[in-house]
Amino acid sequence: QVQLVESGGGLVQAGGSLRLSCAASGRTFSSYAMGWFRQAPGKEREFVAAISWNGGATYYEDSVKGRFTISRDNAQNTVYLQMNSLKPEDTAVYYCAARRTSSGSLFYSRYEYTSWGQGTQVTVSS
């Protein structure tokens, strides 16, 4: 199992930007599809974005399309989430997740991921 540590969260005004990072342990990071999820108070954890093992494929939840960008650097064992034009409704704890795969598949359900980070808080003020 890969171990994940998120960073980069914080407090930002509406319209601002943040970049989240997720550092993974181990030498097989390139064997994992990665995803970002978020969980607001009183709500279920929801899918935000996913990226294939080599970065060749990405997918986004509708509400973040055009504002968020997921990317990865396999040499640095890190996946990123660039968040622009932030809105108060983006406020949540953001989690990265990993799933080992031998294909270029993307995964959208939290139940399909096997490793999770501890989360990083993102708060967007209006």
Side-chain angles (χ1 to χ4, degrees):
Q1 295 280 7
V2 66
Q3 295 186 331
L4 306 171
V5 178
E6 301 98 334
S7 61
L11 173 64
V12 64
Q13 288 189 332
S17 298
L18 283 174
R19 188 176 82 154
L20 305 183
S21 299
C22 174
S25 65
R27 296 175 292 176
T28 59
F29 179 68
S30 60
S31 299
Y32 287 82
M34 301 296 294
W36 284 97
F37 290 75
R38 63 186 180 187
Q39 187 167 17
K43 295 188 176 181
E44 291 192 353
R45 192 170 298 188
E46 66 175 7
F47 170 79
V48 175
I51 190 165
S52 61
W53 70 274
N54 64 351
T58 58
Y59 189 79
Y60 299 90
E61 190 270 330
D62 284 347
S63 70
V64 307
K65 283 180 181 176
R67 300 189 298 123
F68 291 10
T69 302
I70 188 171
S71 62
R72 67 189 296 162
D73 183 342
N74 285 347
Q76 298 295 323
N77 282 13
T78 303
V79 63
Y80 304 98
L81 186 67
Q82 176 67 44
M83 305 186 295
N84 299 328
S85 302
L86 282 161
K87 304 175 181 179
E89 51 263 44
D90 295 318
T91 295
V93 177
Y94 282 71
Y95 299 88
C96 70
R99 174 193 166 117
R100 193 175 183 104
T101 178
S102 58
S103 73
S105 297
L106 298 172
F107 303 94
Y108 318 117
S109 167
R110 66 182 189 265
Y111 302 109
E112 296 179 295
Y113 287 87
T114 56
S115 298
W116 292 85
Q118 83 291 347
T120 185
Q121 177 70 47
V122 171
T123 303
V124 184
S125 63
S126 57

